[in-house]
Amino acid sequence: MPLIISKYMSKLINNSNFKEDNSHNKKAYEFIDKHLPVTYVDLTISCIIKKGHPAPSKALIRNVRNKTILRNDILLALVEVAHENKEAIEKIKLLTSQ
């Protein structure tokens, strides 16, 4: 039975209809590539829960991050986490440069 489940799971991932040709998605991934912290998974879950949505699995978040699956709601949360991280780094730089 596990062989059947894994077969279907791999089919889902391989048949993903991810399209990177959307310029807004491409820009979003460029932004998170630069600014997403290493601890992004838990931060992304917290961001999604704050909006009142159910928490996605950690694997789903990683799949969106790795462009295996496209979910705009999770991509948006990833961008928001990256933005918060970028602002925190800029604030640290500002405060420590004085």
Side-chain angles (χ1 to χ4, degrees), residues 36-64:
L36 197 64
V38 177
T39 57
Y40 71 92
V41 175
D42 290 328
L43 294 170
T44 304
I45 290 172
S46 297
C47 181
I48 291 171
I49 290 173
K50 285 179 190 174
K51 295 179 181 181
H53 300 290
S57 69
K58 291 181 177 187
L60 181 59
I61 292 171
R62 288 187 193 100
N63 282 330
V64 172

Side-chain angles (χ1 to χ4, degrees), residues 53-98:
H53 300 290
S57 69
K58 291 181 177 187
L60 181 59
I61 292 171
R62 288 187 193 100
N63 282 330
V64 172
R65 169 68 179 97
N66 294 325
K67 303 177 188 177
T68 307
I69 296 173
L70 177 62
R71 286 270 308 263
N72 284 324
D73 57 335
I74 296 174
L75 181 58
L76 175 61
L78 287 167
V79 170
E80 290 173 352
V81 168
H83 181 71
E84 289 173 6
N85 187 55
K86 179 184 175 193
E87 287 183 340
I89 290 171
E90 289 173 355
K91 188 171 184 176
I92 290 169
K93 286 179 183 178
L94 178 70
L95 292 173
T96 56
S97 67
Q98 295 176 353

